[in-house]
Amino acid sequence: MNKAITVSNITKSYPGVLANSNVSLEVSEGSIHAIVGENGAGKSTLMKILYGMVKPDDGSISIFEKITQLSSPKDAIDSGLGMVHQHFMLADNLSVLESVILGIDNATLKNINLRRYKSEIMEVINKYNLNINLDKTIDELGVGEKQRVEILKVLFRGAKILILDEPTAVLVPQEVEELFNNLRDLKDNGVTIIFISHKLDEVLEIADEISVMRGGVMVNTVDSENISKKELAEMMIGKSLPKPPERQSSVGDLKILSVENLSASNDDGKDIFNDITFDLQSSEILGIAGVEGNGQRELVEAIIGIQEYNSGSIRLKDEIIDDLGIRERLGLGISFIPEDRQAQALIMDMTLTNNIILGRQSLKKYKTKLTTVNLSNATTASESVIGNFDVKTPNANTIATALSGGNQQKYVVGRELEDNPTLLIASQPTRGIDIGAQALIWEKLRSTRDDGLGVILISADLEELIGLSDRIVVIYQGNFVAELKPDEITPEILGSYMTGLRK
Amino acid sequence: MDDLINFFKKKYVIIAPLLIIIFIAQNEQYSQLTSSGTFGSALRLSIPILLAGLGGLFSERTGVVNIGLEGMMIMGTWFGAWGGFMYGPWGGVLFGLIGGGLFGLIHAIATVSFQVDHIVSGVAINILAVGAARFFNILAFDGIAFASSTASPRIEGEVGKFNLPFLTGGTLNGNETSNILGDLENANIFLISDISGLLVGLTSNISYFTIIALLLVPISVYVLWRTPIGLQMRSVGEYPSGSESLGVNVYLMKYIGVIISGCLAGLAGAYLVLEGPNVYLQGQTGGRGFIGLASLLFGNYRPLGVLMGAGLFGFADALQLRSEEAIHGLLIAVALFLFVLTINNLSKRNFKVSTGTFITGLFFLVWYLNSTSVPIQFIYFTPHLTTLVVLSFSKQKFRMPKKVGVAYKKGELN
Amino acid sequence: MKLRLRLVSLSAPLIALMLAVSLTSLILLGIGKDPIETFRMMFEYGSTGKSIVSVLNRTTPLYISAVAVAVGFKMGLFNIGVEGQYLLGALLAAAIGTSFAISRPIHIFFIMLIAVVASSLWAAIAGYLKVYKGIHEVISTIMLNYIGTGLIAYLLSNIFFDKDEKNAIPQTVELPESGRLPALNNLFGIEDLPNLHGFLPITILLGLIYYLLIWKTTLGYDLRVTGANPIAARFSGVDPKRLTIIAMIISGGFAGLVGMGPLLGYFHQYTIDFPPGLGFAGIGVALLGRNHPVGMFLGAILFGFLERSAQILDLRGVPKEIETMMSAFILLIVVVFYEIIRRYILTQQIKDASKKIGEN
């Protein structure tokens, strides 16, 4: 069979990191080829090189058996490559049609022939069964639909090779199934697909061939028919896959938090969440499962006081906290790990020590007599977090930007656990970080829970949710639709509740 | 009929003031409120704001906040005066455009290539423009009669003007035609005369510069929404990394947007000179660049919206210039409008707001009844106060470009 | 931060100054003047004793204005309205300050208090409009400047003017002796020079207060955090609405003191030529000094010096407006270089950190 892509001996190094070392890869035309590896294995760098975004130090690339120089995404597009990024490259304010044709015409003052484009695009949509409405604006679309727009974008540009970077990270199992059906349609029409992932089940299901990367090196390429998940995992990380440790549930009897009939609506009067009632005990991790945008984010933000609610009541231990501001609630012992550490939990160009005060401004120990900021206590606390959470940093006076994502996250988790909180709200606590940091955070969450902490956990990683939680509630369109026992369910079952297929 | 009521309910914030003003204008004393003269000067005063607002539109749609509009407009006034003095009025138009564009280029270099905070750069440009205009003026007009450090000599000649044939007495093939609208305005019929006044003001004795400025509204719509370059420019303001991944030259688009922005602001400055006193004066712009920016907000980042906003601010400006009496009439208009708001809020059981509007309304009513005119110093800031009031009341959801004001560095995907 | 990086960060204003001097020289050459001779004249004139006193007198209000702007800048709030705020505060302080006479320190304190209250209330309007009406503070403060100017003109010519004065120029009644701040010349033994105005020590104290406020209090921490990352600040319990209004009030409070040096020191009344433009100039100084108390002081002195020393130029046939150009060049170049150097330092810090982590 002809080769769609041949990568020969690519090497790329960054200061202090060898991202790709002598990497070679062959992808057959019309196949689905997966590349697996954990974060930092060098997959993204390889893809950026393929897509002309990064120039390799050494090595060559052939596309359809022709040596090709790729010095910009435009070169890659011209030679038939198309990339679907993990973060959608879509502008909310543009229409689907505009998003698809953006950049196809040269930047001139000629009239855009919208009607002609529309019929041409409809042909592509029909050919691959894509189910997209061209007249909507992007912000009206759901996640799966946005992804289809991304695929349409590259197909319409005549891509014969499709690179998908972690395409399932944002999807629930049912959407994944729909995506896979689309991918099979594409393959049947002769499109070559490169599928980057670290989810081995999915890779085994969809891929014809699988290449494994580890530490910047291409470890092996195997046929997906002839390999088991376990073997694949061992190739990928050199040992077996991490999973949250086994549950030993020991829920306490002290009521930490009780939420009663909580409802909130947005400015247009549309419900965000509706009549939510639940309790949280000490030494309990309550998982909230839901597809993004179903109200779970707003619900936890209501608990810390960011989201306003129209009715209902929140009680922390014995105290009703409805009338308290965010700072007062945090002062009562609520800790919060927001989903986006860089945007929400850290001041990136401040030092770690300055960051430890963030969210703890009202805490006595960070103040002196004249209500000034007490930097010496902050330094002590900061150093203790660095030590306890194995944060890799030169010292406590390093600015947060200088740390890797995993270390930033460990520092945030450490800070939120530093002052013996009563309640911890953890939103996506291990998203996008390396396996080592993930394991450490899991262990810390678990051990502080054992010490009596009540935890509310939100995670898109359903394995994590099931593995860590003592109890799981499912939120769908702003309502709690199910309460489940983690040891009785699988991600697939959970997914069907989350998408409203099962009630 | 129901449709009409619904339409009124939805748009009463715009319709009610208009009706009130027309009603008050029936009183001889306040007839200036809707005279063709007022609308004529409203149009002339709207154009600089419109041009500045469109300038802001091009810049902000590509994601660059342009507080420097005022400075670019100042450059437009000086270069417009200089070009006009050297090469006649159309030379003034051209050089005004170039002068503003040059400062647009500076803003683009600072914000796009060097990622300086947009507002910081804009503030610096405004400071630079004041100094530069003064300096250039001294250099260029040293020793020329009637020039000083703060004023240029007079520009001879003017940009041509014309009237519409038949409607406002324009000429056709050299023959004078009837002036239907003018006659209607003078007939003093309720509403009809007022609307005729509006139309006469907008269509008689119009300069070609004004026509060009007005044409820029549909041209902006076409460029931004109907052409590939416009699509690329808008996409860059929304999600630059996405655009770059599709081969759009992000920096180039931002440069184009900001330079066009400067050019339009420069035109606005030239207009102030050429359709005004025919000289450059220090401080001539009087914050109109900022009012242009306000009209952009008011117009929700759309050309037609900007036109409406500019028209409103121009109207306030015109009243300020034309008639102290008319401004006095506005007091009662404001009072009546506040009472309308009071009733509306009462019907929504919003008692706190309705009490506030009622008391403020009473204040204006008492002021109106106990005075015969508004102090001249207050009249001076009517447009600025109007800007704040209008922005306070236009509580619509702004749909601003998503990444406006955010620095973008090439190759930063995310 | 390492010493090396600290030195690099100090280089930006020096580079800007050098580039601005070069650009100005080019312009001077272009209009046929000798740049070296021009700068020599400026320096010679600017460094006389008389000039130094004048520069210091000029520096004090400029510095306070910069501080007022900087309070806002620290939380990402652009108070462009210091101009209107200080003028309005000065007018009210001058007008009300004449209506009573008590012992000097108390009298002066009350005059300052009136100015602070008036200016901060005026600034609070912009805070209110931002928080509750969503109007960007740049727009609102600029509009309030125009409104303030009209209001001042009205108050001065209709309400607060000196009724005994036959003169047509509207002005307030002069402050009594107890409301005037004595000059400092005796203190420094420079009786032979023009008056060194008494507000200088208060200015230095204000700089110190500013420093403590921003870097040593929780409020200051909240301001800095909000300026750096408003979302994270909100998650940390900062109420952005409240903080915006507080910041505007504090900024306006400092603004109120801008006019006090001139008022208490030498004008002793508010007239139509009460020095304008200090508010706008303060923005430049704050940008040049990067909101740092010492940096802004140096910036104020630099601008004060340039302005003073340019006075000689017109007499020697060089347009003194060359100074306005030069100040503007400095400003524009410095904001660009601060950004370049900020990025350079950031990448250096990241590199240093990853190197050190690698070593461990």
Side-chain angles (χ1 to χ4, degrees):
Chain A
M1 204 188 283
N2 287 333
K3 297 295 171 212
I5 292 185
T6 313
V7 173
S8 317
N9 306 318
I10 288 281
T11 296
K12 172 75 197 173
S13 65
Y14 293 105
V17 194
L18 191 58
N20 275 190
S21 166
N22 219 8
V23 169
S24 295
L25 173 73
E26 285 189 344
V27 178
S28 308
E29 208 176 324
S31 72
I32 299 182
H33 192 115
I35 297 178
V36 298
E38 62 165 307
N39 287 318
K43 298 172 298 190
S44 303
T45 306
L46 180 58
M47 289 311 114
K48 281 182 183 163
I49 290 171
L50 270 180
Y51 199 55
M53 286 151 62
V54 170
K55 239 184 133 82
D57 302 337
D58 203 6
S60 70
I61 295 168
S62 303
I63 294 174
F64 296 118
E65 306 192 330
K66 266 209 322 258
I67 297 255
T68 312
Q69 287 298 330
L70 300 166
S71 46
S72 74
K74 196 160 185 336
D75 292 347
I77 294 168
D78 290 345
S79 26
L81 264 94
M83 176 102 148
V84 175
H85 298 270
Q86 183 178 4
H87 301 283
F88 300 139
M89 296 282 178
L90 295 168
D92 279 354
N93 262 354
L94 298 187
S95 74
V96 173
L97 180 62
E98 285 176 331
S99 306
V100 174
I101 64 176
L102 174 62
I104 286 183
D105 292 320
N106 287 329
T108 61
L109 288 168
K110 277 197 327 235
N111 193 8
I112 304 179
N113 193 339
L114 286 175
R115 190 180 299 173
R116 199 195 75 214
Y117 272 129
K118 213 166 167 172
S119 69
E120 285 176 15
I121 294 170
M122 283 315 294
E123 275 175 34
V124 179
I125 290 180
N126 293 335
K127 182 173 170 193
Y128 299 111
N129 282 324
L130 281 172
N131 183 23
I132 294 171
N133 182 347
L134 287 179
D135 296 325
K136 284 188 178 173
T137 53
I138 296 296
D139 60 359
E140 294 171 320
L141 306 183
V143 179
E145 221 171 349
K146 281 185 187 168
Q147 193 168 52
R148 288 198 292 277
V149 174
E150 286 283 33
I151 293 173
L152 174 63
K153 245 163 72 177
V154 296
L155 290 176
F156 187 64
R157 283 171 167 67
K160 295 275 171 288
I161 304 168
L162 213 59
I163 304 172
L164 298 129
D165 186 9
E166 303 269 1
T168 60
V170 288
L171 305 179
V172 293
Q174 283 69 21
E175 287 172 323
V176 171
E177 220 25 71
E178 198 179 347
L179 169 70
F180 283 0
N181 287 334
N182 284 327
L183 294 185
R184 288 186 191 108
D185 275 343
L186 291 174
K187 181 184 154 185
D188 294 342
N189 278 290
V191 178
T192 308
I193 293 166
I194 298 179
F195 186 96
I196 302 165
S197 182
H198 62 259
K199 295 187 178 170
L200 301 183
D201 289 324
E202 290 172 357
V203 164
L204 286 167
E205 183 190 338
I206 189 78
D208 302 314
E209 278 188 304
I210 303 172
S211 293
V212 184
M213 288 191 80
R214 187 170 78 217
V217 177
M218 187 59 78
V219 181
N220 203 350
T221 296
V222 293
D223 202 314
S224 67
E225 307 274 298
N226 309 325
I227 192 153
S228 72
K229 186 178 169 189
K230 192 159 166 290
E231 289 167 309
L232 209 51
E234 279 167 6
M235 265 190 238
M236 192 166 105
I237 55 171
K239 54 187 178 193
S240 48
L241 261 190
K243 251 195 167 175
E246 281 299 302
R247 253 183 317 281
Q248 321 95 19
S249 189
S250 57
V251 174
D253 18 334
L254 183 66
K255 198 182 279 182
I256 296 281
L257 178 79
S258 69
V259 172
E260 274 166 37
N261 309 105
L262 212 61
S263 299
S265 53
N266 61 16
D267 294 341
D268 307 332
K270 226 180 121 195
D271 280 349
I272 298 172
F273 52 80
N274 189 22
D275 203 18
I276 300 284
T277 300
F278 68 91
D279 286 341
L280 178 74
Q281 305 293 123
S282 57
S283 290
E284 180 182 34
I285 298 181
L286 173 68
I288 300 182
V291 178
E292 229 173 274
N294 274 278
Q296 67 271 46
R297 185 168 56 81
E298 289 85 352
L299 176 62
V300 293
E301 286 182 0
I303 296 172
I304 66 163
I306 288 178
Q307 169 73 42
E308 285 178 20
Y309 38 93
N310 330 40
S311 61
S313 173
I314 301 172
R315 188 191 295 262
L316 184 72
K317 285 193 168 162
D318 298 323
E319 192 173 349
I320 292 176
I321 59 171
D322 297 324
D323 296 330
L324 302 184
I326 304 168
R327 180 155 295 169
E328 290 157 305
R329 296 190 193 196
L330 297 177
L332 285 176
I334 301 182
S335 272
F336 185 47
I337 302 168
E339 56 187 20
D340 186 340
R341 59 183 164 270
Q342 300 196 349
Q344 298 169 332
L346 288 169
I347 310 296
M348 297 304 284
D349 48 11
M350 277 191 180
T351 63
L352 293 179
T353 296
N354 263 311
N355 267 297
I356 201 122
I357 305 169
L358 196 65
R360 301 285 175 279
Q361 287 101 314
S362 62
L363 215 66
K364 279 219 180 63
K365 77 171 182 184
Y366 295 133
K367 294 183 171 187
T368 61
K369 266 183 208 146
L370 297 162
T371 73
T372 52
V373 173
N374 188 338
L375 275 182
S376 77
N377 277 354
T379 308
T380 316
S382 183
E383 278 165 355
S384 121
V385 168
I386 291 169
N388 289 337
F389 282 78
D390 190 27
V391 178
K392 293 201 174 56
T393 171
N395 54 48
N397 282 322
T398 305
I399 51 172
T401 319
L403 270 57
S404 72
N407 283 304
Q408 287 168 2
Q409 185 69 5
K410 283 191 283 188
Y411 190 80
V412 170
V413 175
R415 173 183 75 196
E416 296 306 320
L417 293 175
E418 168 71 8
D419 298 300
N420 300 319
T422 316
L423 167 67
L424 172 72
I425 297 168
S427 199
Q428 318 289 357
T430 66
R431 178 185 272 180
I433 60 176
D434 56 289
I435 286 174
Q438 188 177 41
L440 183 123
I441 289 172
W442 281 341
E443 186 221 308
K444 292 285 183 185
L445 286 180
R446 186 160 279 268
S447 66
T448 39
R449 180 211 62 174
D450 291 342
D451 295 341
L453 179 71
V455 181
I456 296 177
L457 174 70
I458 294 182
S459 180
D461 180 346
L462 301 186
E463 299 261 9
E464 172 178 89
L465 204 61
I466 293 172
L468 280 179
S469 304
D470 298 300
R471 184 159 59 103
I472 293 178
V473 288
V474 181
I475 190 166
Y476 177 66
Q477 293 179 349
N479 292 296
F480 274 178
V481 292
E483 181 169 331
L484 307 164
K485 292 209 176 84
D487 39 11
E488 293 169 3
I489 55 169
T490 62
E492 285 69 32
I493 298 174
L494 194 51
S496 59
Y497 280 106
M498 286 161 63
T499 45
L501 294 175
R502 202 197 283 231
K503 278 176 190 145
Chain B
M1 193 64 201
D2 277 357
D3 287 354
L4 203 67
I5 292 172
N6 274 334
F7 180 73
F8 186 81
K9 269 186 181 162
K10 260 194 197 154
K11 302 274 179 190
Y12 78 97
V13 178
I14 296 170
I15 298 171
L18 282 180
L19 285 179
I20 291 171
I21 285 174
I22 289 174
F23 181 71
I24 293 170
Q26 300 315 306
N27 186 324
E28 187 62 34
Q29 200 185 349
Y30 306 130
S31 61
Q32 277 294 328
L33 279 174
T34 59
S35 75
S36 62
T38 303
F39 286 121
S41 47
L43 176 65
R44 260 190 308 107
L45 293 163
S46 299
I47 297 295
I49 298 170
L50 170 69
L51 288 169
L54 288 178
L57 177 76
F58 273 91
S59 175
E60 308 228 349
R61 277 283 177 182
T62 58
V64 179
V65 175
N66 195 351
I67 290 290
L69 279 175
E70 178 79 6
M72 297 168 197
M73 204 164 162
I74 291 173
M75 280 294 104
T77 57
W78 188 82
F79 273 97
W82 183 79
F85 182 74
M86 301 295 286
Y87 308 106
W90 286 106
V93 174
L94 182 67
F95 274 92
L97 180 125
I98 293 173
L102 271 178
F103 268 54
L105 177 66
I106 296 177
H107 190 50
I109 294 172
T111 55
V112 180
S113 297
F114 292 111
Q115 286 112 33
V116 173
D117 182 286
H118 298 180
I119 292 186
V120 167
S121 166
V123 166
I125 277 177
N126 290 340
I127 296 174
L128 177 64
V130 175
R134 197 179 150 95
F135 182 69
F136 291 161
N137 202 55
I138 288 166
L139 274 193
F141 297 129
D142 187 31
I144 292 175
F146 302 113
S148 68
S149 62
T150 57
S152 73
R154 217 182 141 69
I155 299 159
E156 298 305 324
E158 58 177 16
V159 175
K161 291 185 163 56
F162 78 106
N163 289 314
L164 273 187
F166 300 110
L167 290 178
T168 48
T171 51
L172 197 66
N173 296 330
N175 301 317
E176 212 163 286
T177 57
S178 61
N179 183 356
I180 299 174
L181 289 171
D183 296 342
L184 275 177
E185 185 195 4
N186 293 331
N188 274 330
I189 310 165
F190 177 74
L191 203 58
I192 305 232
S193 290
D194 298 298
I195 290 174
S196 304
L198 173 72
L199 292 176
V200 171
L202 296 187
T203 56
S204 67
N205 211 19
I206 300 298
S207 91
Y208 290 105
F209 199 169
T210 306
I211 302 287
I212 293 174
L214 289 173
L215 280 178
L216 282 170
V217 176
I219 290 174
S220 303
V221 174
Y222 173 78
V223 170
L224 282 172
W225 277 273
R226 283 284 173 269
T227 67
I229 193 170
L231 176 58
Q232 294 195 10
M233 286 169 76
R234 282 187 296 129
S235 78
V236 156
E238 302 284 347
Y239 195 6
S241 0
S243 313
E244 189 176 312
S245 76
L246 295 174
V248 173
N249 189 335
V250 175
Y251 281 15
L252 181 67
M253 288 305 128
K254 284 178 183 264
Y255 264 93
I256 292 175
V258 181
I259 290 172
I260 291 180
S261 177
C263 289
L264 290 172
L267 273 185
Y271 190 95
L272 275 180
V273 170
L274 295 167
E275 298 292 313
N278 271 329
V279 291
Y280 153 81
L281 297 167
Q282 186 173 312
Q284 198 166 16
T285 53
R288 285 188 180 78
F290 299 110
I291 297 182
L293 215 53
S295 76
L296 177 64
L297 294 177
F298 174 80
N300 208 2
Y301 297 88
R302 289 183 171 272
L304 276 174
V306 174
L307 179 64
M308 273 175 59
L312 185 68
F313 297 128
F315 182 65
D317 219 356
L319 288 180
Q320 182 238 130
L321 281 185
R322 285 191 68 84
S323 161
E324 287 178 41
E325 278 179 352
I327 293 261
H328 186 239
L330 269 192
L331 290 181
I332 181 75
V334 171
L336 287 177
F337 180 56
L338 283 166
F339 293 144
V340 170
L341 286 182
T342 308
I343 294 168
N344 186 51
N345 277 303
L346 271 179
S347 69
K348 286 183 192 159
R349 305 190 166 274
N350 201 339
F351 297 114
K352 222 166 118 188
V353 178
S354 60
T355 318
T357 51
F358 183 69
I359 291 173
T360 327
L362 271 188
F363 168 79
F364 275 98
L365 186 65
V366 169
W367 184 3
Y368 169 76
L369 293 173
N370 288 303
S371 62
T372 50
S373 68
V374 177
I376 184 155
Q377 295 92 343
F378 288 10
I379 293 171
Y380 154 83
F381 61 66
T382 317
H384 308 98
L385 187 63
T386 312
T387 305
L388 288 184
V389 172
V390 166
L391 288 181
S392 301
F393 279 105
S394 59
K395 243 188 158 180
Q396 50 184 315
K397 267 197 191 148
F398 294 128
R399 189 152 195 189
M400 55 164 61
K402 204 152 194 176
K403 295 277 177 177
V404 75
V406 181
Y408 176 70
K409 196 151 191 244
K410 240 181 216 167
E412 261 175 16
L413 287 159
N414 277 321
Chain C
M1 210 194 296
K2 279 188 185 166
L3 184 66
R4 180 173 60 86
L5 292 181
R6 276 185 200 281
L7 287 178
V8 170
S9 80
L10 287 178
S11 67
L14 294 179
I15 296 174
L17 190 60
M18 270 158 38
L19 280 174
V21 166
S22 325
L23 266 175
T24 316
S25 303
L26 281 180
I27 292 179
L28 284 168
L29 283 176
I31 59 172
K33 307 287 175 196
D34 179 357
I36 297 173
E37 176 58 16
T38 307
F39 287 121
R40 198 194 57 76
M41 280 190 305
M42 283 176 74
F43 191 77
E44 193 181 270
Y45 178 70
S47 55
T48 59
K50 235 172 136 178
S51 290
I52 290 174
V53 168
S54 158
V55 168
L56 284 176
N57 286 343
R58 167 103 194 143
T59 299
T60 41
L62 205 53
Y63 178 67
I64 302 169
S65 169
V67 167
V69 175
V71 170
F73 273 175
K74 268 290 161 193
M75 79 162 285
L77 200 64
F78 294 84
N79 181 5
I80 313 288
V82 171
E83 184 74 17
Q85 289 150 20
Y86 88 85
L87 287 173
L88 198 63
L91 170 67
L92 289 173
I96 303 172
T98 54
S99 60
F100 56 93
I102 23 177
S103 75
R104 175 173 279 164
I106 302 179
H107 197 170
I108 286 178
F109 173 79
F110 269 106
I111 292 177
M112 281 165 53
L113 187 68
I114 294 164
V116 167
V117 170
S119 299
S120 54
L121 285 180
W122 191 246
I125 297 175
Y128 167 84
L129 288 173
K130 181 179 176 87
V131 167
Y132 294 102
K133 298 292 175 187
I135 304 178
H136 196 281
E137 71 276 8
V138 169
I139 301 272
S140 64
T141 51
I142 284 164
M143 295 305 138
L144 284 168
N145 279 343
Y146 287 99
I147 297 171
T149 308
L151 213 54
I152 288 169
Y154 172 76
L155 292 173
L156 192 58
S157 48
N158 291 293
I159 299 183
F160 293 141
F161 66 101
D162 184 352
K163 276 124 189 144
D164 298 330
E165 182 67 50
K166 298 288 170 287
N167 196 330
I169 301 167
Q171 55 191 35
T172 61
V173 180
E174 285 208 348
L175 288 171
E177 196 54 42
S178 64
R180 302 177 182 187
L181 208 54
L184 300 171
N185 295 45
N186 295 333
L187 223 60
F188 294 102
I190 45 168
E191 287 85 350
D192 53 328
L193 290 177
N195 278 353
L196 177 61
H197 302 309
F199 215 68
L200 187 62
I202 301 179
T203 305
I204 293 169
L205 186 69
L206 287 172
L208 190 68
I209 291 174
Y210 167 76
Y211 171 75
L212 292 174
L213 173 78
I214 298 294
W215 279 276
K216 294 293 171 197
T217 69
T218 311
L219 179 67
Y221 180 84
D222 284 353
L223 286 172
R224 285 184 291 138
V225 164
T226 307
N229 183 347
I231 300 172
R234 178 139 169 67
F235 278 86
S236 82
V238 172
D239 179 346
K241 295 182 173 178
R242 205 174 135 255
L243 195 66
T244 299
I245 290 176
I246 291 177
M248 277 316 277
I249 288 176
I250 296 176
S251 175
F254 277 111
L257 295 169
V258 171
M260 291 302 98
L263 180 68
L264 301 170
Y266 48 110
F267 266 79
H268 304 142
Q269 62 182 162
Y270 191 96
T271 76
I272 46 169
D273 27 76
F274 196 79
L278 289 168
F280 292 125
I283 299 171
V285 175
L287 290 176
L288 184 61
R290 290 188 89 186
N291 310 321
H292 191 279
V294 178
M296 288 190 291
F297 198 76
L298 296 176
I301 287 186
L302 175 66
F303 281 155
F305 174 80
L306 285 177
E307 198 181 310
R308 168 72 186 183
S309 59
Q311 301 299 326
I312 191 71
L313 294 181
D314 267 353
L315 302 175
R316 308 280 172 89
V318 179
K320 72 168 189 296
E321 278 69 20
I322 192 78
E323 174 267 329
T324 331
M325 290 292 280
M326 192 167 149
S327 305
F329 282 147
I330 293 177
L331 201 60
L332 207 64
I333 298 170
V334 89
V335 294
V336 169
F337 270 88
Y338 277 145
E339 187 57 33
I340 294 173
I341 284 181
R342 191 186 70 81
R343 281 174 182 265
Y344 172 77
I345 289 178
L346 207 62
T347 43
Q348 283 304 311
Q349 282 178 308
I350 294 172
K351 264 191 198 156
D352 285 356
S354 53
K355 221 171 83 190
K356 270 193 198 143
I357 293 167
E359 282 163 10
N360 290 345

